[in-house]
Amino acid sequence: MTYDAVVIGAGHNGLVCAAYLARAGLSVLVLERRDELGGMAGTSELLKGVRVPTLAHTVGRLRPSIARELGLRGHGLALVQPEVRAFAPQPDGRAITLWGDVDRTARDLVDGGLAASSDAASYGAADQQVRALGRGLAELMSRIPPDLASPTLGDAFAGLRTGLAARARARSANESLLRTMPMAARDLVAEWFESDALRAAVAARGMLYTGLSPRMPGSGGVLLADLAGNDGGLAGQTVFARGGPGALADALAAAARANGAEIRTGTAVAQVRRDGERATGVTLTGGEEIDASVVVSNLDPRTTLLDLIEPEVLGPRLSWRAANIRQRGTTAKVNLALSGLPDFGAAAGDARRLRGRILIAPSMRYLDLAARPAKYGELPEQPLLEATIPTLVDPGLLADGRRGRARTVVHVMSVVVEGIPRELRDGTLDDRRDALGDAVLATLAEFAPGIAELVVERQVITPLDVERDLGAFGGHAMHAESSLDQWFAWRPLHGLGRYRMPLTGMYLAGSGAHPGGGVTGGPGQLAAQAVIADSRQGRLRVSA
């Protein structure tokens, strides 16, 4: 059978792209190697009746335009945003709590005694500043980058409009994006606050899902990108999908199907077929051939270029450049089924403080030390952790009859672990899986004593697992490192930053494309815009 478009991979970006293409009238087929949808933003079963987030555990950065235009609420997506955004316990029993309410956060900083009075007074101004910068950055992240290799007059006007809009939005801020994006997160937060604990609680977002340390240039840009296009501000965004992140994939799949798209799981693509320099479809691993005028890859850029496209299309130079895209993942995940609610003493019995993200990032020194071992192929003794207890806001993750090892599961805990190298200097991650899980529990136990005794079941997902099971080369959760040299028109490579791959009719829609990773749907949405624009200009042979 012949389709207008084949989308390879049913991660959230692939589903977003498929839904938009089907909405535009194209006949669309989505092919997913695994049996489940959602990829890293999926929900999996840890025990019978116990579901946990696969890798990503919140969906707060999803673009509002995607939810609105695709009617995701009508397709079953329900979002929950707790009052608290982040809770950062300290070794001395106190804690930093960042609420969605800026004034409440400022009062809490004073009452908690961890932040200087000047920090509480300046928190609101700093929040306004980063929101202004975030709005300016969102202008860049919501547009297809200009063609820097062969710019057109249209690119020049689009760039001028974007630049003027970003400048106008950020005019009230003391800093400009040109200055703050290349900064280290450590230096950026030092301009805002005196308290080390508050600095660390904010700066940690510049490290999560990356291989960057808080001292590295560009980690400030990662921090700012995290708040662009949402209302997170300094506290960050924390939004859960009822049913886990996989509920977002289900809603996107429903939106795509409602517009006529087909989705096949358990189906792996071996190669993109071509006629000269034009894509003509795909060949499956079983030998089946599917014809299509458009092929969209939701895979990582290296796999897309080197595994799906024949070498003679790329040539030696582009093949060399593709092989050097930095995609070494440093993010692991530990999922826990618990027989009770962990006792974080710093929460003082107030479970509301545990409903958002729980950050184990007590100081800037802690962040530095947590990031350092990965550079040498070693595991950190005390890693940077971002945990959630999603069952506090979504009890539906637990079904009746949830039992394991003769104990009933009461809560699940999702822990993102940063600073875990894919390749170890001594041994492999498979050999050190239990050691990694033990280190995470030991670190949590310093702030929630007795948590190990609550564990009914434990799952450890390493960067090696992300590569093997989720298909991301190098095990990188974002498909490519989120540094400035691999951002905007340089993501994934200079000359390929506009979603169009070397074959006419082939596009990249995954997190390795602009504007990068995270559960935003941005790459999928913008890739669909590129396809639709090319079809309207007659560059593609599609029915719409």
Side-chain angles (χ1 to χ4, degrees):
M1 187 172 179
T2 300
Y3 295 86
D4 288 326
V6 167
V7 178
I8 306 171
H12 76 283
N13 278 310
L15 292 171
V16 166
C17 185
Y20 272 104
L21 294 181
R23 182 170 173 258
L26 278 67
S27 58
V28 179
L29 173 65
V30 181
L31 301 173
E32 169 56 44
R33 177 178 62 89
R34 303 170 72 235
D35 293 329
E36 300 85 20
L37 305 179
M40 298 182 200
T43 305
S44 55
E45 192 169 66
L46 181 58
L47 290 169
K48 183 175 177 56
V50 178
R51 292 177 296 158
V52 293
T54 302
L55 197 66
H57 47 201
T58 62
V59 299
R61 294 181 61 201
L62 178 69
R63 287 187 174 180
S65 61
I66 293 175
R68 181 179 63 254
E69 292 167 1
L70 297 181
L72 298 186
R73 180 177 295 182
H75 291 294
L77 182 64
L79 303 179
V80 183
Q81 179 170 267
E83 294 176 282
V84 66
R85 301 291 175 84
F87 173 75
Q90 303 295 305
D92 64 2
R94 295 181 293 176
I96 294 284
T97 303
L98 304 179
W99 302 85
D101 185 324
V102 174
D103 293 335
R104 187 174 186 178
T105 298
R107 292 194 302 270
D108 217 45
L109 290 173
V110 174
D111 296 340
L114 267 173
S117 57
S118 59
D119 287 343
S122 63
Y123 185 86
D127 184 77
Q128 289 182 359
Q129 178 183 338
V130 299
R131 287 176 187 272
L133 290 170
R135 288 191 292 270
L137 186 55
E139 294 283 349
L140 296 176
M141 296 177 69
S142 64
R143 298 175 183 269
I144 296 176
D147 186 352
L148 298 181
S150 302
T152 64
L153 185 61
D155 290 328
F157 280 118
L160 179 61
R161 287 195 303 270
T162 300
L164 290 175
R167 180 181 178 184
R169 288 182 180 274
R171 189 173 295 155
S172 61
N174 293 325
E175 317 296 342
S176 69
L177 286 173
L178 287 176
R179 174 176 180 268
T180 53
M181 286 290 287
M183 287 180 68
R186 180 187 183 92
D187 298 331
L188 193 57
V189 296
E191 293 188 350
W192 299 331
F193 307 118
E194 296 180 28
S195 165
D196 187 52
L198 181 56
R199 288 178 179 181
V202 175
R205 286 161 55 211
M207 296 173 58
L208 288 166
Y209 300 104
T210 78
L212 304 178
S213 79
R215 294 178 181 269
M216 291 181 67
S219 55
V222 175
L223 172 59
L224 293 175
D226 185 71
L227 58 87
N230 61 71
D231 71 343
L234 275 176
Q237 186 59 279
T238 304
V239 176
F240 298 92
R242 289 198 183 276
L248 171 60
D250 292 340
L252 289 169
R257 289 187 176 112
N259 285 289
E262 299 177 34
I263 300 174
R264 289 171 57 179
T265 58
T267 306
V269 173
Q271 194 173 55
V272 173
R273 298 168 51 230
R274 68 185 178 95
D275 179 8
E277 296 184 354
R278 180 178 293 274
T280 59
V282 298
T283 301
L284 307 185
T285 53
E288 180 185 352
E289 295 183 346
I290 299 174
D291 295 331
S293 299
V294 174
V295 176
V296 180
S297 173
N298 188 44
L299 308 184
D300 68 89
R302 187 189 187 280
T303 299
T304 298
L305 292 167
L306 297 184
D307 293 354
L308 297 183
I309 302 176
E310 293 173 316
E312 53 265 35
V313 175
L314 272 62
R317 177 167 175 75
L318 183 53
S319 297
W320 172 77
R321 292 174 64 206
N324 283 284
I325 297 172
R326 288 180 291 108
Q327 296 179 237
R328 292 188 177 183
T330 57
T331 303
K333 180 75 182 300
V334 175
N335 289 316
L336 303 172
L338 305 174
S339 61
L341 182 66
D343 182 14
F344 285 88
D350 186 357
R352 292 176 306 164
R353 295 179 185 267
L354 306 179
R355 289 163 61 91
R357 293 171 289 114
I358 302 169
L359 293 173
I360 305 302
S363 67
M364 293 303 302
R365 175 179 170 78
Y366 185 100
L367 296 183
D368 285 333
L369 295 178
R372 188 175 300 169
K375 300 176 184 177
Y376 307 102
E378 299 172 352
L379 295 179
E381 293 183 5
Q382 293 185 308
L384 164 62
L385 305 179
E386 182 188 78
T388 61
I389 308 176
T391 39
L392 285 173
V393 296
D394 184 16
L397 289 169
L398 302 177
D400 292 338
R402 56 193 187 274
R403 297 185 68 85
R405 299 178 187 175
R407 285 190 290 169
T408 300
V409 177
V410 176
H411 285 290
V412 297
M413 193 172 195
S414 169
V415 188
V416 172
V417 190
E418 198 48 65
I420 310 302
R422 177 192 174 278
E423 298 178 357
L424 298 179
R425 186 178 63 178
D426 182 19
T428 69
L429 284 174
D430 289 335
D431 300 330
R432 304 293 301 278
R433 187 183 304 275
D434 287 340
L436 173 57
D438 291 344
V440 169
L441 280 175
T443 302
L444 287 170
E446 294 190 18
F447 303 89
I451 188 173
E453 286 71 40
L454 299 176
V455 177
V456 177
E457 188 63 57
R458 180 174 85 183
Q459 177 190 39
V460 178
I461 302 172
T462 70
L464 199 57
D465 297 321
V466 172
E467 179 176 69
R468 289 182 305 210
D469 301 336
L470 298 174
F473 182 85
H476 204 296
M478 301 294 191
H479 284 189
E481 190 56 74
S482 302
S483 52
L484 286 179
D485 63 312
Q486 294 188 162
W487 189 77
F488 195 52
W490 295 268
R491 189 172 184 91
L493 291 170
H494 180 250
L496 297 179
R498 291 167 57 83
Y499 312 98
R500 300 167 179 87
M501 294 292 98
L503 289 174
T504 300
M506 186 175 178
Y507 302 79
L508 183 69
S511 295
H514 174 75
V519 187
T520 68
Q525 184 186 44
L526 293 175
Q529 290 179 14
V531 173
I532 294 168
D534 286 350
S535 67
R536 289 174 177 170
Q537 293 172 13
R539 298 173 184 169
L540 305 173
R541 306 184 187 115
V542 297
S543 58

